[in-house]
Amino acid sequence: MIFSDDSLVEICVATAYSLDTRSAPSDLPPEQFRAIGHSLVDSIADFLCDLPDAPTATNLLPDALRSALGRREMPEDGRDIAPVIEEFSEKFFRLSTHNGSPRFFGYITSSAAPVGALADLLASAVNPNCGAWALSPIATEIENETIRWLSEFMGLPGTWDGVIVSGGNMANMVGFTAARTAKAPWDIRANGLTADDAKRLVLYTSKETHTWISKAADIGGLGTAAVRWIPTDHELRMRVDLLEESIAADVAAGLAPFMVCGTAGSVGTGAVDPLPAIAKVCKKYHLWFHVDGDYDSRTRSPSIPTSGSTAPSRLAVS
């Protein structure tokens, strides 16, 4: 778009007021924001204090829960937000499934951290766009340092990079996509899955792995049949001998193995695959080694060799 000098002057005059005045949707005067915020923090503190004695989950079925919530038409005009927050927070605390309950053993979601709630409030106040360094410089540098801390905590040698994403499914899918791009024997980014020199890509994991891997194969265009589900031993760990047999058979059939996914603490039982032995197989066949750390990777180093004769050609930890 090209502007003349006159039109630029007109634009500057027309926008002079907005350049000096903050405008935000659903804005609140500072005094009202402070009052509502202090009240909500008090309610959250009471909720966390009472959580050990609260029911782990609501006993309402969907129809009864919808009735308790009530049905409203979308309003034409807004209303005072203070009573809305007060009413909703009470129902939200009472009718949620409480991951933080001492009697909750349902799945991997951890207890809510009070400092995390405060951090979310702080981040929401700035509402950074984390799409590029210039759009969120301090948030980007905090993310980089956090990744460095995590790699040090897990005992991973060398320099590691990464990104913080929304959850386990997305983290694993990012690793899957990186593996597909790096290990496909043709330029898959430029030419896609139907290139003239393309082969059928296949990957390997144990039968205990979370279902994210089927989603990734589907979304990534490989199809769920590309996943080779390797049987497990009596401790629900991947059978490395059967893994190597499956890889060798696919290579002989003209397919293109590109990735093995080991598990460091499966969702169902917390089983940990023999990761060093899997790493040796990945090194032998030049495969990307991805580790899905549902439970265990956050609590101890997975002890995966990353240098020397047994190191895989690529390693990703999610």
Side-chain angles (χ1 to χ4, degrees), residues 180 186-188 191-196 198-201 220-223:
R180 191 191 66 164
W186 71 95
D187 190 346
I188 196 169
N191 301 319
L193 293 170
T194 58
D196 292 339
K199 294 183 178 181
R200 187 184 178 199
L201 295 170
L222 307 187

Side-chain angles (χ1 to χ4, degrees), residues 86-138:
E86 181 179 2
E87 177 185 355
F88 176 73
S89 61
E90 187 278 328
K91 290 182 178 178
F92 189 60
F93 295 147
R94 178 168 50 87
L95 300 176
S96 291
T97 298
H98 297 140
N99 303 326
S101 169
R103 295 172 301 283
F104 181 85
F105 303 101
Y107 42 83
I108 64 174
T109 306
S110 62
S111 301
V115 68
L118 295 175
D120 281 342
L121 175 62
L122 177 61
S124 297
V126 177
N127 193 27
N129 179 340
C130 296
W133 189 95
L135 301 177
S136 54
I138 188 64

Side-chain angles (χ1 to χ4, degrees), residues 19 22 53 75 81 109 147 194 220 222 224 236 284 291:
L19 294 178
R22 177 180 176 274
D53 298 321
I81 194 63
T109 306
I147 295 297
T194 58
L222 307 187
T224 57
L236 300 179
K284 178 179 178 179
V291 178

Side-chain angles (χ1 to χ4, degrees), residues 247-266:
I247 294 171
D250 283 336
V251 170
L255 305 181
F258 75 100
M259 172 179 135
V260 177
C261 175
T263 298
S266 64

Side-chain angles (χ1 to χ4, degrees), residues 42 68 79 84 103 142 147 162 181 201 234 237 247 296:
D42 286 342
R79 51 175 288 200
V84 174
R103 295 172 301 283
I142 290 172
I147 295 297
T181 301
L201 295 170
H234 66 285
R237 305 180 308 165
I247 294 171
D296 196 59

Side-chain angles (χ1 to χ4, degrees), residues 2 46 48 52 69 71 83 95 107 110 127 152 158 170 180 218 220 225 228-229 254 264 267 269 279 281 300 303:
I2 300 175
D46 291 341
L48 294 174
L69 180 61
R71 178 180 175 85
L95 300 176
Y107 42 83
S110 62
N127 193 27
E152 292 174 357
M170 188 56 64
R180 191 191 66 164
D218 186 5
R228 305 300 197 239
W229 298 98
V267 171
T269 64
V281 174
R300 68 182 179 96
S303 301

